[in-house]
Amino acid sequence: MRRRLTAGAVATATGLALLVGLPSTSAGAAPSTATTDYTVVAGDGVSVNDAIAAITAAGGTVVSGNAAVGTFRVSSAAADFRARAASSGKLIGAAARKPVGYAPKLSPLEQPVTDGRHGGSKPGVPKADTLDDKLWGLQMVRADKARTIEKGERGVTVGVLDTGLDASNPDLAANYSSRLSRNFAPDIAEIDGPCEVASCVDPTGTDDGGHGTHVAGTIAAAANGTGVSGVAPNVTLVELKGGQDSGYFFLDPVVNALTYAGDAGLDVVNMSFYVDPWLYNCKANPADAPEAQAEQRAIIAGISRALNYAHKRGVTLVAAAGNQYDNLNDPAEDVTSPDYGSDPYYRPIDNATCFTLPAEGPNVIAVSSVGPSTAKAVYSNYGTEQINVAAPGGFTRDLFGTPQYNQAANNILSTYPLKVLQANGRVDADGNPTVPTVFKDCTAAGKCGYYTYLAGTSMASPHAAGVAALIISKYGHRDLWRGGLTMNPDLVAARLFRSAHETACPEPRLRSYVQEGYTTAYDAYCSGSKSFNGFYGHGIVDAYAAVGGRK
């Protein structure tokens, strides 16, 4: 059985937390005409100086480093740099600057309905903001009722580790902290297109991908009478741009964002991305070449150290379980990795030593996805070893046999950048939606926001992150060091689990999606009891019960 990764030793930090522009020279490296960027992870207990010396000996030049977790950004023109780094006794390995995560704009199986079959509003949803009657997920987690007890405290900060955050939307502007927000992921022209600014570092408060903006709205869109409202409408949103505009995530920005979250005293971080270029990062898969094995060990170590670092400093970590419709207790073989940079090949997956990150990382609350009927969404990963809780993520083909079947309204409506909608042709040059699944709503002052439907575990995770923020708002104590509120992440998780609405496995336990139009490859077996099972974990998150309301 595969268990979650546990805390391990962290590389010794004997210098500044962030090392910038450290010069080094290359020694004895095989020549190459091209320079490649890498993220190198030091071995456990290795000092900064020893790590830099080992990198130099392998033919690399240190550009910057995060000594808190022993990771270094390195450039090298040596063709054999990865092999030399892997063979060093001081280094775990080198990960080329390839994606270690991807934030899909929607689940691979949930295409948006754009032909008018948007299904209108889900009946019976209380309306606070203009579009709240379309937020069935808000009602399912009882966030509407939770507001009678707790709306969230401004001193509670939620980091959105994603593609960015469009703070021009009036629903997000009210709760957005420009002071705390950071961009850790400069644009890369080869995958993101031409840089919009000379430095290639997009200003915070922008989002050229859209995914992070959608996530942020579900967590904490303001209850201001227009647009939509979030699960925790009074908490503070912090942009942690760790993903590229194209949706890819690299190891170095993700690690730096997580350690910053710990240092800045953020209370919650939502991570709605899944790991690439390897569907599963394995410690020593015999199908992988030695350099690929070392690269995956470096990714596992780097992300795990950063997660541990943030958790130790009071950050509650919440992540999407993934959209591969896989039983994570017994994952299928991998024939899609690596999915970037080189051709994929067949890889048997050892459940004990292969991990999907960050969901299976240490101290992470992993969230599966359900549709409006509470059925597990067809795309959602599942498994008793990994899933902690479930939350609304959308399922277009839910509610089979009813008029609501195959409607976009079965997905999650949230904030979205105007720029991205216009680029996709879903809003015209005058700012008017061209499809019925995009909504425009304006304040009395004429400031307009835009909203659209998406589906995926990426949409489920922010519902749980919002509930975690409400728990800290209700039960946290004053942070005398950094101000605001704080709460032990383990206590936050315990209350989140204890308050979740227990949801039993379906009968029969083998859930078929054939009637919804899928093959038997998507069938999923639910194991476990009503109090804890592979589809729902401890249950569907319940904001009202989490802040003291009756279950």
Side-chain angles (χ1 to χ4, degrees), residues 28 42 62 194 234 281 307 328 358 365 390 411 535:
V62 176
N234 280 9
N281 282 276
L307 292 168
L328 297 177
I365 298 167
N411 296 326
F535 279 13

Side-chain angles (χ1 to χ4, degrees), residues 99-108 160-164 191-192 207-216 240-250 254 270-277 320 322-324 339 357-358 416 420 454-459 461-462:
V100 300
Y102 187 72
K105 292 182 174 59
L106 65 169
S107 83
V160 181
L161 206 175
D162 218 293
T163 59
I191 59 174
D192 298 322
D207 182 8
D208 294 331
H211 189 271
T213 298
H214 198 278
V215 166
L240 302 175
K241 181 171 167 50
Q244 305 302 133
D245 295 346
S246 53
Y248 288 108
F249 282 67
F250 292 89
V254 170
N270 184 84
M271 299 173 287
S272 286
F273 59 89
Y274 59 89
V275 169
D276 278 338
N323 299 336
Q324 293 78 40
D339 63 3
L357 296 168
Y416 214 70
V420 179
L454 296 181
T457 55
S458 286
M459 284 66 250
S461 182

Side-chain angles (χ1 to χ4, degrees), residues 204-547:
T204 56
T206 64
D207 182 8
D208 294 331
H211 189 271
T213 298
H214 198 278
V215 166
T218 296
I219 295 169
N224 55 7
T226 61
V228 299
S229 59
V231 174
N234 280 9
V235 303
T236 295
L237 288 166
V238 178
E239 175 190 351
L240 302 175
K241 181 171 167 50
Q244 305 302 133
D245 295 346
S246 53
Y248 288 108
F249 282 67
F250 292 89
L251 177 60
D252 195 56
V254 170
V255 166
N256 291 339
L258 285 168
T259 56
Y260 169 78
D263 291 337
L266 302 192
D267 296 295
V268 181
V269 168
N270 184 84
M271 299 173 287
S272 286
F273 59 89
Y274 59 89
V275 169
D276 278 338
W278 308 97
L279 178 59
Y280 292 95
N281 282 276
C282 302
K283 293 183 176 180
N285 194 318
D288 297 328
E291 293 86 353
Q293 292 179 355
E295 177 182 71
Q296 291 169 72
R297 287 194 295 270
I299 291 170
I300 292 169
I303 291 180
S304 298
R305 288 175 184 173
L307 292 168
N308 283 328
Y309 184 92
H311 176 266
K312 184 177 180 180
R313 284 155 181 80
V315 183
T316 297
L317 302 161
V318 184
N323 299 336
Q324 293 78 40
Y325 56 92
D326 207 352
N327 177 2
L328 297 177
N329 287 4
D330 185 20
E333 68 275 5
D334 179 11
V335 295
T336 64
S337 297
D339 63 3
Y340 183 94
S342 58
D343 293 333
Y345 52 89
Y346 173 83
R347 306 170 69 224
I349 298 302
D350 173 15
N351 193 41
T353 60
C354 298
F355 307 93
T356 179
L357 296 168
E360 287 189 278
N363 306 304
V364 174
I365 298 167
V367 187
S368 64
S369 177
V370 301
S373 73
T374 72
K376 184 190 82 68
V378 62
Y379 55 80
S380 181
N381 286 347
Y382 59 100
T384 53
E385 294 176 18
Q386 294 79 17
I387 303 305
N388 296 118
V389 290
F395 181 15
T396 301
R397 299 188 196 179
D398 201 4
L399 301 165
F400 179 80
T402 76
Q404 196 66 20
Y405 169 70
N406 206 26
Q407 304 296 330
N410 292 338
N411 296 326
I412 304 300
L413 183 69
S414 189
T415 46
Y416 214 70
L418 170 62
K419 177 181 179 180
V420 179
L421 291 169
Q422 287 180 322
N424 293 337
R426 302 176 73 191
V427 172
D428 65 23
D430 295 325
N432 298 312
T434 61
V435 295
T437 52
V438 172
F439 301 88
K440 174 184 180 181
D441 199 37
C442 305
T443 66
K447 186 67 175 176
C448 300
Y450 292 83
Y451 310 84
T452 195
Y453 290 103
L454 296 181
T457 55
S458 286
M459 284 66 250
S461 182
H463 283 89
V467 177
L470 289 178
I471 290 171
I472 299 168
S473 298
K474 177 67 174 176
Y475 301 105
H477 58 85
R478 292 293 163 189
D479 189 335
L480 299 179
W481 178 33
R482 290 171 290 205
L485 297 175
T486 187
M487 186 172 175
N488 185 314
D490 294 333
L491 298 180
V492 177
R495 183 166 286 275
L496 184 72
F497 301 162
R498 188 167 62 249
S499 62
H501 178 70
E502 293 181 358
T503 306
C505 288
E507 291 295 342
R509 285 177 175 252
L510 182 63
R511 174 62 159 95
S512 170
Y513 296 90
V514 171
Q515 68 178 4
E516 287 92 349
Y518 300 99
T519 69
T520 56
Y522 299 96
D523 289 358
Y525 184 85
C526 183
S527 59
S529 63
K530 181 178 180 180
S531 61
F532 187 84
N533 58 67
F535 279 13
Y536 305 101
H538 293 278
I540 298 172
V541 294
D542 186 335
Y544 184 57
V547 296

Side-chain angles (χ1 to χ4, degrees), residues 35-59:
T35 297
T36 302
D37 284 346
Y38 300 89
T39 300
V40 177
V41 181
D44 291 340
V46 174
S47 72
V48 169
N49 290 338
D50 285 348
I52 292 173
I55 290 167
T56 302

